[in-house]
């Protein structure tokens, strides 16, 4: 190709926003010549490279936007620590099918049992497979919703959250909140009901949700909406940190609760 034609091609690819094709067409063309590809195969290879690069960039953007703590991922999650049933439940969720059914995932267990890590790891895998998840800490989320309500833009804030296939609310009920704060949380859950998945971790079993929602009726209504289409995972495990500390001291070797069945 003449230098002038090359410059025109480069400009056209830039105008069409095809940077990967622009960067790679020469190398791919050389390979096509060497391996006697058809024109169509050459084009397919180039287009696929562009698509692949875009997918990767989009996932990077979505991972950043998800606000997930990236170090809590599937690779650093010790699945052997969980009873077999829980490990299986978590693995089954990786397919993301529950998102298509707008189902919720609720993880219960004492502090340190690995709820946040497990759900972050799952969420990160879901984002990597092209799903949109937003991580929020319940206290912060409630404050944001409350601020929105004060500015008369609560519906807009809730609508904005609807763009995420899954809304991860970490540590629901951890901080005691007042009635007004709980009302906005309830409004959010009611609006999302059957429209988008909610992923929740909580140290409090349902029987104590009255503490979160301040009255029995609201708690029952919130539980009803969350539970209706949900997968419940109960992690009745001891604290991971505590176990590590004990092991480090050498005072309590080999006490991982392997094989311990949960009653989820
Ligand atoms: P929870 O949310 O139940 O209070 P976390 O998920 O925050 O517990 O876990 C507490 C600490 O222990 C975190 O640093 C987390 O990374 C680690 N941890 C817990 N469970 C596991 C696990 N199965 N594999 C790896 N790290 C874990
Ligand atoms: Mg947690």
């Amino acid at each position: 190709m003449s230098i002038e034609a090359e410059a025109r091609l480069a400009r056209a690819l830039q105008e069409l926003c095809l940077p990967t094709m622009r960067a790679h067409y020469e190398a791919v063309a050389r390979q096509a010549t060497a391996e006697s590809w058809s024109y169509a195969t050459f084009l397919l290879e180039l287009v696929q490279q562009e698509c692949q690069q875009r997918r990767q960039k989009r996932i990077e953007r979505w991972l950043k936007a998800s606000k997930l703590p990236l170090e809590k991922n599937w690779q650093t999650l010790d699945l052997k620590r969980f009873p077999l049933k829980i490990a299986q439940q978590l693995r089954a969720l990786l397919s993301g099918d529950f998102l298509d059914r707008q189902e919720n995932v609720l993880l219960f267990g004492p502090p340190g049992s690995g709820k946040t890590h497990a759900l972050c790891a799952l969420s990160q895998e879901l984002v990597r497979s092209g799903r949109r998840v937003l991580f929020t800490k319940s206290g912060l989320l409630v404050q944001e919703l409350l601020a929105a309500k004060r500015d008369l833009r609560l519906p807009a804030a809730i609508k904005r959250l609807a763009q995420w296939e899954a809304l991860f609310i970490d540590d629901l009920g951890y901080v005691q909140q007042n009635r007004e704060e709980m009302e906005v949380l309830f409004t959010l859950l009611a609006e999302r009901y059957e429209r988008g998945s909610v992923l929740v971790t909580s140290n409090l079993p349902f029987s104590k949700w009255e503490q979160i929602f301040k009255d029995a009726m609201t708690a029952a209504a919130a539980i009803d909406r969350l539970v209706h289409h949900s997968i419940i995972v109960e992690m009745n495990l001891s604290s991971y940190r505590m176990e590590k500390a004990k092991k480090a001291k050498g005072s309590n070797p080999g006490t991982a609760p392997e094989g311990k069945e949960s009653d989820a």
Side-chain angles (χ1 to χ4, degrees), residues 101-234:
R101 297 188 293 265
Q102 286 84 43
E103 284 173 357
N104 304 322
V105 177
L106 314 174
L107 250 76
F108 294 102
S113 54
K115 301 179 298 296
T116 300
H117 193 135
L119 218 44
C120 283
L122 169 69
S123 299
Q124 193 176 142
E125 290 302 305
L126 291 173
V127 176
R128 290 186 188 282
S129 66
R131 304 301 198 134
R132 303 209 66 197
V133 185
L134 178 67
F135 173 84
T136 64
K137 288 194 181 289
S138 81
L140 224 61
L141 174 68
V142 165
Q143 289 313 314
E144 278 171 21
L145 292 175
L146 206 57
K149 189 180 171 199
R150 287 194 191 114
D151 298 345
L152 304 176
R153 46 175 186 86
L154 183 61
I158 288 177
K159 201 168 163 199
R160 213 172 33 250
L161 291 172
Q163 66 174 297
W164 303 91
E165 288 181 273
L167 179 61
F168 182 162
I169 306 177
D170 193 37
D171 254 337
L172 192 66
Y174 182 62
V175 191
Q176 287 293 312
Q177 274 132 354
N178 65 34
R179 190 174 285 270
E180 201 193 3
E181 288 169 330
M182 280 311 118
E183 266 169 21
V184 289
L185 182 59
F186 181 78
T187 308
L188 170 71
L189 293 177
E191 286 290 321
R192 257 192 106 80
Y193 175 60
E194 291 187 335
R195 290 198 196 144
S197 298
V198 182
L199 315 178
V200 169
T201 71
S202 184
N203 301 330
L204 291 178
F206 287 136
S207 56
K208 298 207 175 127
W209 276 33
E210 215 179 299
Q211 286 176 27
I212 309 177
F213 289 97
K214 305 298 162 202
D215 73 81
M217 280 288 276
T218 317
I223 292 169
D224 199 51
R225 281 168 177 77
L226 276 177
V227 171
H228 186 195
H229 308 284
S230 74
I231 296 135
I232 296 177
V233 183
E234 293 203 32

Side-chain angles (χ1 to χ4, degrees), residues 72 76-78 81-82 110-117 240-241:
K72 294 193 183 192
T76 55
L77 180 69
D78 181 5
R81 189 171 180 268
F82 300 123
S113 54
K115 301 179 298 296
T116 300
H117 193 135
Y240 183 86
R241 280 180 288 242

Side-chain angles (χ1 to χ4, degrees), residues 5-45:
E6 266 180 30
R8 279 215 311 273
L9 177 58
R11 272 200 307 277
L13 290 173
Q14 188 174 19
E15 196 178 322
L16 292 169
C17 302
L18 299 167
T20 307
M21 282 174 78
R22 187 179 168 195
H24 295 288
Y25 77 86
E26 279 178 308
V28 178
R30 269 197 303 276
Q31 194 182 354
T33 307
E35 297 177 17
S36 310
W37 292 356
S38 67
Y39 292 120
T41 307
F42 166 71
L43 183 61
L44 176 67
E45 174 63 25

